[in-house]
Amino acid sequence: MARGDKDKYTDKQKRKAEHIEEGYEAKGISKDEAEARAWATVNKQSGGGERKGGGGQAKSPAAKAKARESSAKRAAATRKGAPRPGQQLADMTKAELMERARKHDIAGRSTMRKADLLEALAKYRS
């Protein structure tokens, strides 16, 4: 399949990509960028073109659904401030540290610098 060829996508996938693209364009994103993001979203959600004859890995619909579900759960956990696996406090952004300090109700957190937040959170852990 040639790059950019959308023949292997279902009509539903094409409509979905078009709708997503229109939403991005309404937000002021360029046409090319909006199209790229829309197709990336469709690919992420459905695993790419679903008509027979395409390349790539063949996944069952159940496997695709399970992958989407676990991906969505990990993304939601990250947005809620849950640490990524193996992430150290020092690797976190100040915003992430601030959120963690807020959850632990650390006093004076609003005026703390990143180093202060790291110190306060390290004390909380021990």
Side-chain angles (χ1 to χ4, degrees):
M1 181 163 86
R3 185 176 172 100
D5 185 14
K6 306 298 185 213
D7 291 341
K8 298 293 180 187
Y9 289 88
T10 63
D11 290 337
K12 181 178 179 181
Q13 289 173 309
K14 290 176 185 177
R15 285 191 310 273
K16 184 180 238 179
E18 186 177 329
H19 179 72
I20 294 168
E21 182 179 344
E22 289 170 0
Y24 279 126
E25 287 176 6
K27 292 179 182 179
I29 294 174
S30 72
K31 173 109 174 104
D32 290 340
E33 179 66 18
E35 182 180 10
R37 287 185 185 186
W39 283 107
T41 302
V42 169
N43 286 334
K44 176 74 174 181
Q45 291 176 347
S46 64
E50 295 182 350
R51 291 188 182 164
K52 299 272 187 229
Q57 299 173 353
K59 283 188 178 179
S60 69
K64 287 182 185 179
K66 185 176 180 182
R68 281 194 305 273
E69 181 179 324
S70 68
S71 175
K73 285 180 181 176
R74 285 191 314 272
T78 301
R79 283 192 301 272
K80 291 178 184 174
R84 292 180 285 280
Q87 184 182 27
Q88 301 297 318
L89 284 177
D91 297 333
M92 296 176 130
T93 65
K94 183 178 177 190
E96 290 171 326
L97 293 170
M98 187 66 78
E99 181 63 30
R100 174 93 38 109
R102 187 176 297 117
K103 285 184 178 182
H104 296 303
D105 199 28
I106 294 175
R109 65 184 175 267
S110 64
T111 59
M112 290 184 182
R113 294 182 176 181
K114 184 174 179 177
D116 300 328
L117 287 167
L118 285 168
E119 187 178 327
L121 287 166
K123 285 180 185 177
Y124 184 82
R125 276 187 162 176
S126 53

